[in-house]
Amino acid sequence: VSLVLYELRGAGDRRYSLFSWRTRMALRHKGLDARFEPVLLHDKAAIAFSGGKTVPVLRDGDAVVRDSWAIAEHLERRYPDCPTLFGGEIGRGVTHVLNAWVDRTVVPLAAPLIVADIHDRIDPAARAHFRSGMERFMGGPLEKVQAGRDTGVERCRKAVDPARAAMRTQAFLAGPAPAYADYALFSVFQWARIMSSFPLLAPDDPLGSWRERMLDLYDGLAREHAAAGEREGVPA
Ligand SMILES: N[C@@H](CCC(=O)N[C@@H](CS)C(=O)NCC(=O)O)C(=O)O
């Protein structure tokens, strides 16, 4: 395989990075095979060659691409004959906006709801690094930040209302079939699913059936990765 994706590995080999999930889904969408190389949050030696400190990093032959959005654009440009991620130039632009909406609005509302759960499910050796960085960023102890989640979750659920509204008339954010826009939002739910058993969506949320459809894609690619609560011997 000439494609290699470097992504985070948590405790019990959990592949939990939300940005990497966008790339994983995008690779399957394009029908491309890749090898997955685990990276630990506190030890970035494996990705030093990329010149950066964040995952995902994609190595594609001689090309090294860092940042999930740049990777999506790279895949679209490099493999124009494989199924399209964006549906053309207009779609690329609109998907870029949706990707930024997820990063700037949805992720900051979702992260405080599960941040202590994430801490408990990453590699034990990476926990101190995660805690110090995240506590600086969130402005307090992770457990305290997460303790406010019963009210915080309502704001998060409200923020995804644009996606919910679209579900009334279409099966996916990209329309009748899934594309990168769906992977961008789904990555947040997949991240939360792997690392926490806290329900981001209410049981009757119309987005729940979209999330199920996303879990079914590509022979259950995302579902194959166990949800936090499904695992044995770990706190759910
Ligand atoms: N904009 C970047 C964000 C990537 C990112 O923030 N990755 C996190 C993991 S989810 C990371 O590698 N953090 C390194 C660290 O915190 O030391 C992308 O889309 O790839």
Side-chain angles (χ1 to χ4, degrees):
V1 201
S2 69
L3 285 162
V4 186
L5 183 71
Y6 294 79
E7 59 172 8
L8 290 175
R9 180 179 77 194
D13 204 29
R14 288 171 171 86
R15 301 303 169 105
Y16 68 96
S17 161
L18 77 158
F19 301 104
S20 302
W21 269 101
R22 295 179 199 177
T23 308
R24 273 184 173 255
M25 303 292 282
L27 287 165
R28 282 295 285 271
H29 181 111
K30 286 235 168 248
L32 298 167
D33 259 336
R35 183 157 62 80
F36 298 95
E37 283 291 331
V39 179
L40 293 168
L41 200 56
H42 64 294
D43 178 9
K44 305 281 172 44
I47 53 163
F49 70 88
S50 74
K53 289 192 158 72
T54 63
V55 287
V57 172
L58 182 76
R59 196 195 268 284
D60 182 359
D62 291 337
V64 172
V65 193
R66 167 162 49 92
D67 183 90
S68 57
W69 178 256
I71 293 170
E73 290 196 320
H74 166 87
L75 294 174
E76 190 73 343
R77 209 169 38 238
R78 182 97 155 212
Y79 304 97
D81 298 333
C82 301
T84 177
L85 291 170
F86 305 135
E89 255 320 287
I90 294 174
R92 191 198 62 79
V94 175
T95 306
H96 196 186
V97 176
L98 190 127
N99 193 76
W101 170 68
V102 174
D103 289 353
R104 289 163 182 251
T105 301
V106 183
V107 173
L109 288 169
L113 312 176
I114 57 172
V115 71
D117 294 340
I118 294 173
H119 171 272
D120 295 346
R121 290 182 175 87
I122 64 174
D123 191 278
R127 287 180 194 163
H129 173 99
F130 179 86
R131 180 179 291 279
S132 64
M134 275 298 175
E135 294 195 341
R136 210 175 317 121
F137 182 70
M138 302 237 172
L142 302 184
E143 291 70 18
K144 199 174 160 203
V145 169
Q146 187 175 284
R149 66 184 175 183
D150 290 332
T151 49
V153 72
E154 294 307 328
R155 293 172 60 214
C156 185
R157 289 173 182 172
K158 183 145 179 44
V160 292
D161 211 39
R164 188 176 293 118
M167 290 302 110
R168 292 198 209 115
T169 54
Q170 58 196 60
F172 295 97
L173 303 187
Y180 198 81
D182 292 275
Y183 309 145
L185 182 62
F186 174 70
S187 69
V188 180
F189 291 101
Q190 177 71 343
W191 173 55
R193 177 181 164 273
I194 290 173
M195 297 305 262
S196 173
S197 50
F198 183 70
L200 284 195
L201 299 177
D204 58 347
D205 193 315
L207 275 175
S209 38
W210 165 79
R211 186 176 53 183
E212 290 301 308
R213 288 192 287 281
M214 297 302 294
L215 286 164
D216 290 340
L217 290 179
Y218 312 123
D219 305 315
L221 169 67
R223 206 189 290 280
E224 264 172 31
H225 290 251
E230 282 163 26
R231 285 186 176 244
E232 249 175 28
V234 290

